[in-house]
């Protein structure tokens, strides 16, 4: 049986009477690239914060590396949170920041150089963080998370705010870290990148853990997507959301919308039926994320 | 705890602007002594009628300025007291800002989250900040003492009976109290997971509490025998010659209570952002 790196069992969190997470159970296995996906505010970052001990009031059981001694086990976790809004001390040099992390993790200072090299930041690590681009900061944040040679790396929204070239580069970096034996748990709502990267997907919608799947399962699913032509794509998408609660619409071109759902072919006359396609993995994940997916 | 302390001290040293802030605090503290000295000298020119307006009560406590009797306004020794009280309070404000700067940076740059997510308990985090605030206090107090001494030696302070020898135990006493304040600020910061509101809370508390008795008297006619509280008031103000062994014992107990109370609060209270 594969070793569970993270095991969350019925984790719930309410803040001032509002349910943020509702009985979430999931597990991350060794060597996974596990993507927690969901729209903004779905609860995925909160779940990460609970795993890292940053939220206090949760209920349910969490085990890390098979142990319930969480504080001790967290030493084996590297994390980079709020990667879409990274604020690092601009006065420090990248390498100084990494050396501070060495102190915090009780790691030798040489690990700072090693981590900078691993993420491809060695050429600019000697410069002040204030001079870095967003992508450079992200790499330094990942390097900091790698100090102490963690077994699990948690990345919160690593694809937000970076250009396509940066996304590709980030994807390659995550792949390479995973190949070197680091289990990855990441959150994102940028599905196209995750499809190319993740080995498992967990979907969070409105605080509930609704689906769990993997690329093999997604490609084997035979879910139909009904294609309709429409004059106003935005209005059509809005109407699908509001007037057809069981249907999910995905724009598939300048004047076409793909509909997933049981009664997809029974729309009113403003939608002109054009044909049926097999829903892609991205379509299915977006459908799940919408909360309408079965 | 050891790695946490190394990390925090490294943070403190690496932030050059932070060290500059400490130096600036010290210089400002020195300058403020001079300014306040000049201001307090102007009390001589205030008319006795003005004093009469305040005479209806025999004790006043306006935050940092504490007067047992308004008669003291006529006493040259009072100038020394005001100089010292306001000088030390200015230092208290600057010191608090220094601690605030450190803790704010920790939150702003996410370091505190790193620390907790690396398995350090909140109590440990609190204790390490408390220790760091003690180090900062010592550093600022030392520079303050130097600037004050230089100023005194240059003749800037010419009150009767003033001596650096008397001043040092009072400064040590003051340090204890400031450390307690730093410990308290650290506890509230870690609890609230936000430094600035926490520091604001501390400021309000530290300045509002002493003034509350006076406000109650002046505006609501509520007369509270608060002389008992003066043990703390005295500990917060530097009055040469008042640093007795009893004061030191009180200060040590106060500090111990601050640490124990802070650690307990951080552990059991779940204040959320």
């Amino acid at each position: 049986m594969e070793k569970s790196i993270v095991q969350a069992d019925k984790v719930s969190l309410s803040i001032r009477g509002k349910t943020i997470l509702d009985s979430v159970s999931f597990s991350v296995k060794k060597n996974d690239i596990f993507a927690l996906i969901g729209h903004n505010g779905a609860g995925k970052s909160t779940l990460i914060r609970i795993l890292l001990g940053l939220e206090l009031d949760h209920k349910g059981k969490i085990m890390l590396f098979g142990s319930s001694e969480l504080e001790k086990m967290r030493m084996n976790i590297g994390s980079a949170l709020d990667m879409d809004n990274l604020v690092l001390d601009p006065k420090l040099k990248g390498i100084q920041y990494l050396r501070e992390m060495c102190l915090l993790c009780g790691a030798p200072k040489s690990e700072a150089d090693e981590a900078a090299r691993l993420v491809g930041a060695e050429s600019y690590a000697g410069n002040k963080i204030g001079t870095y681009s967003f992508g450079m900061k992200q790499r330094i944040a990942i390097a900091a998370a790698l100090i102490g040679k963690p077994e699990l790396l948690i990345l919160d929204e690593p694809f937000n705010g970076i250009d396509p070239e940066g996304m590709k580069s980030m994807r390659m970096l995550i792949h390479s870290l995973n190949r070197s034996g680091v289990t990855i748990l990441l959150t994102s709502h940028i599905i196209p990148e995750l499809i190319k990267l993740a080995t498992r997907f967990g979907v969070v919608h409105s605080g509930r853990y609704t689906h769990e799947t993997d690329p093999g399962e997604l490609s084997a699913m035979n879910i139909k997507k009904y294609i309709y032509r429409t004059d106003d794509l935005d209005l059509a998408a809005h109407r699908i959301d509001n007037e057809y609660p069981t249907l999910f619409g995905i724009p598939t071109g300048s004047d076409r919308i793909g509909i997933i759902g049981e009664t997809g072919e029974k729309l009113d006359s403003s939608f002109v039926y054009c044909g049926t396609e097999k829903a892609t993995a991205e379509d299915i994940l977006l459908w799940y994320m919408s909360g309408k997916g079965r | 705890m050891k790695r946490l302390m190394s990390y925090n001290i490294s943070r403190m040293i690496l932030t050059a602007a932070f060290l500059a802030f400490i130096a600036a605090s010290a210089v400002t503290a020195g300058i403020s002594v001079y300014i306040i000295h000049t201001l307090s000298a102007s009390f001589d020119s205030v008319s006795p009628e003005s004093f009469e307006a305040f005479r209806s009560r025999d004790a006043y406590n306006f935050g940092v300025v504490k007067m047992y009797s308004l008669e003291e306004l006529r006493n040259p020794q009072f100038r020394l007291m005001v100089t010292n009280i306001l000088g030390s309070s200015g230092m208290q404000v600057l010191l608090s800002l220094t601690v605030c700067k450190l803790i704010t940076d920790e939150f702003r740059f996410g370091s505190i989250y790193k620390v907790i997510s690396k398995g350090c308990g909140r109590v440990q985090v609190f204790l390490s900040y408390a220790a760091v605030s003690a180090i900062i206090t010592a550093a600022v107090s030392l520079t303050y003492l130097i600037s004050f001494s230089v100023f005194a030696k240059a003749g800037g302070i010419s009150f009767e009976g003033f001596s650096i020898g008397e001043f040092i135990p009072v400064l040590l006493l003051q340090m204890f109290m400031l450390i307690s304040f730093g410990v308290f600020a650290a506890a509230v910061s870690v609890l609230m997971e936000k430094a600035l509101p926490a520091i604001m809370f501390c400021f309000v508390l530290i300045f509002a509490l002493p003034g509350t008795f006076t406000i109650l008297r002046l505006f609501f006619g509520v007369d509270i025998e608060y002389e008992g509280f003066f043990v703390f008031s005295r500990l917060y103000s530097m009055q040469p010659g008042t640093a007795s062994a009893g004061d030191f014992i009180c200060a040590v107990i106060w500090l111990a209570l601050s640490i124990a109370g802070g650690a307990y609060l951080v552990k059991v209270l779940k204040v959320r952002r």
Side-chain angles (χ1 to χ4, degrees):
Chain A
M1 191 177 161
E2 279 179 288
K3 183 186 171 191
S4 272
I5 300 288
V6 175
Q7 179 79 52
D9 188 21
K10 294 180 181 166
V11 172
S12 301
L13 177 73
S14 297
I15 299 175
R16 294 182 204 97
K18 189 186 172 197
T19 302
I20 308 294
L21 290 172
D22 184 11
S23 200
V24 171
S25 300
F26 76 105
S27 68
V28 179
K29 303 277 188 277
K30 191 167 170 58
N31 289 326
D32 268 349
I33 299 180
F34 191 101
L36 268 178
I37 62 174
H39 289 300
N40 287 335
K44 50 193 191 306
S45 295
T46 306
L47 197 50
I48 294 295
R49 288 174 55 83
I50 288 175
L51 295 180
L52 293 172
L54 298 172
E55 294 286 345
L56 290 170
D57 294 337
H58 66 88
K59 291 177 183 154
K61 192 178 177 189
I62 290 170
M63 291 182 82
L64 298 170
F65 307 97
S67 166
S68 51
E69 286 183 72
L70 302 184
E71 287 192 354
K72 195 173 161 192
M73 291 299 122
R74 284 188 183 115
M75 271 305 285
N76 289 330
I77 302 177
S79 60
L81 302 187
D82 298 325
M83 289 187 72
D84 51 343
N85 185 28
L86 270 178
V87 186
L88 304 176
D89 192 342
K91 297 182 292 297
L92 291 185
K93 293 174 180 172
I95 197 72
Q96 284 177 322
Y97 175 60
L98 297 179
R99 284 179 189 148
E100 276 186 16
M101 289 301 127
C102 290
L103 278 177
L104 181 60
C105 300
K109 284 193 175 175
S110 58
E111 262 196 42
D113 301 284
E114 197 183 328
R117 187 178 44 74
L118 207 60
V119 301
E122 71 271 43
S123 61
Y124 57 83
N127 301 338
K128 287 198 171 178
I129 290 173
T131 64
Y132 291 1
S133 69
F134 188 71
M136 289 156 104
K137 277 188 200 168
Q138 283 198 321
R139 280 176 182 268
I140 284 291
I142 294 179
L146 290 172
I147 301 283
K149 301 191 190 309
E151 285 182 60
L152 171 66
L153 181 63
I154 295 180
L155 304 175
D156 186 22
E157 302 287 1
F159 297 112
N160 275 19
I162 49 175
D163 57 27
E165 194 55 39
M167 283 194 190
K168 186 181 168 192
S169 154
M170 179 65 72
R171 200 173 64 235
M172 286 166 65
L173 173 61
I174 293 172
H175 258 311
S176 117
L177 291 171
N178 183 243
R179 275 197 300 273
S180 68
V182 181
T183 304
I184 312 276
L185 169 59
L186 53 90
T187 70
S188 184
H189 57 267
I190 300 179
I191 303 302
E193 287 306 312
L194 295 177
I195 300 254
K196 297 170 195 161
L197 182 68
T199 56
R200 289 174 77 211
F201 300 94
V203 184
V204 184
H205 176 75
S206 298
R208 285 179 296 112
Y209 191 75
T210 55
H211 297 85
E212 189 170 309
T213 185
D214 60 53
E217 196 177 72
L218 284 171
S219 61
M221 282 181 188
N222 193 15
I223 291 172
K224 286 179 182 167
K225 180 168 75 174
Y226 304 97
I227 309 295
Y228 287 84
R229 187 163 51 78
T230 175
D231 293 334
D232 188 334
L233 198 58
D234 288 341
L235 180 66
H238 182 73
R239 283 190 58 212
I240 294 290
D241 266 353
N242 290 293
E243 295 171 24
Y244 300 92
T246 60
L247 301 184
F248 176 63
I250 311 157
T252 53
S254 58
D255 65 346
R256 279 160 201 251
I257 188 163
I259 307 288
I260 301 178
E262 281 176 15
T263 53
E265 64 272 51
K266 293 175 187 169
L267 295 177
D268 68 46
S269 57
S270 67
F271 293 90
V272 181
Y273 179 67
C274 300
T276 304
E277 291 176 3
K278 185 186 171 193
T280 63
E282 185 181 341
D283 294 335
I284 298 167
L285 288 175
L286 286 170
W287 183 41
Y288 286 165
M289 277 168 63
S290 73
K292 294 179 177 179
R294 283 172 289 112
Chain B
M1 189 67 188
K2 191 181 160 194
R3 63 187 161 92
L4 194 54
M5 275 307 295
S6 316
Y7 167 76
N8 273 332
I9 290 168
S10 161
R11 284 279 311 152
M12 202 168 73
I13 293 166
L14 273 176
T15 316
F18 173 70
L19 292 176
F21 194 83
I22 290 183
S25 304
V27 172
T28 317
I31 293 169
S32 71
V33 169
Y34 171 73
I35 294 168
I36 292 159
H37 166 65
T38 313
L39 284 176
S40 66
S42 71
F43 275 120
D44 282 342
S45 63
V46 178
S47 68
E49 288 76 21
S50 304
F51 298 150
E52 287 300 322
F54 297 98
R55 199 179 270 280
S56 57
R57 303 286 171 185
D58 63 356
Y60 294 90
N61 190 343
F62 292 97
V64 293
V65 182
K66 301 165 186 71
M67 287 171 274
Y68 290 94
S69 162
L70 288 173
E71 279 297 328
E72 288 181 78
L73 286 170
R74 300 180 190 279
N75 187 344
Q77 191 68 16
F78 175 74
R79 295 206 298 265
L80 175 61
M81 194 179 86
V82 169
T83 303
N84 286 330
I85 289 172
L86 292 187
S88 68
S89 297
M91 174 183 161
Q92 199 164 309
V93 170
L94 289 165
L95 187 65
S96 307
L97 287 172
T98 310
V99 175
C100 168
K101 165 85 176 142
L102 175 74
I103 300 178
T104 306
D105 277 1
E106 290 300 281
F107 282 97
R108 191 151 60 103
F109 301 126
S111 315
I112 200 155
Y113 304 123
K114 277 261 180 248
V115 168
I116 293 172
S117 67
K118 274 289 173 191
C120 297
R122 278 158 204 258
V123 174
Q124 271 183 309
V125 175
F126 154 68
L127 289 175
S128 75
Y129 280 122
V132 166
S133 76
I135 294 169
I136 295 167
T137 307
V140 177
S141 298
L142 189 67
T143 47
Y144 178 70
L145 176 64
I146 291 167
S147 59
F148 199 96
S149 307
V150 168
F151 187 68
K153 203 168 182 180
I157 299 167
S158 56
F159 298 113
E160 255 179 68
F162 175 83
S163 79
I164 285 291
E166 278 184 337
F167 180 72
I168 288 171
V170 177
L171 186 75
L172 285 173
L173 192 58
Q174 180 83 0
M175 271 177 63
F176 266 115
M177 301 317 297
L178 290 173
I179 289 169
S180 304
F181 178 72
V183 166
F184 184 67
V188 178
S189 299
V190 177
L191 266 173
M192 294 176 100
E193 294 192 5
K194 285 276 183 196
L196 271 177
I199 298 293
M200 291 304 291
F201 173 75
C202 293
F203 267 131
V204 168
L205 201 68
I206 208 161
F207 288 118
L209 272 183
T212 303
F213 301 111
T214 298
I215 290 166
L216 285 173
R217 261 187 188 193
L218 289 177
F219 297 103
F220 301 101
V222 179
D223 215 351
I224 297 171
E225 288 297 322
Y226 61 88
E227 279 69 18
F229 291 92
F230 268 98
V231 65
F232 292 119
S233 297
R234 277 173 55 218
L235 289 174
Y236 271 111
S237 58
M238 287 195 289
Q239 297 171 55
T242 61
S244 66
D247 288 341
F248 273 103
I249 291 167
C250 276
V252 170
I253 293 171
W254 181 233
L255 179 60
L257 283 175
S258 298
I259 293 173
Y264 177 75
L265 284 176
V266 168
K267 188 162 185 172
V268 300
L269 289 184
K270 292 168 182 173
V271 178
R272 182 168 298 286
R273 280 187 300 160

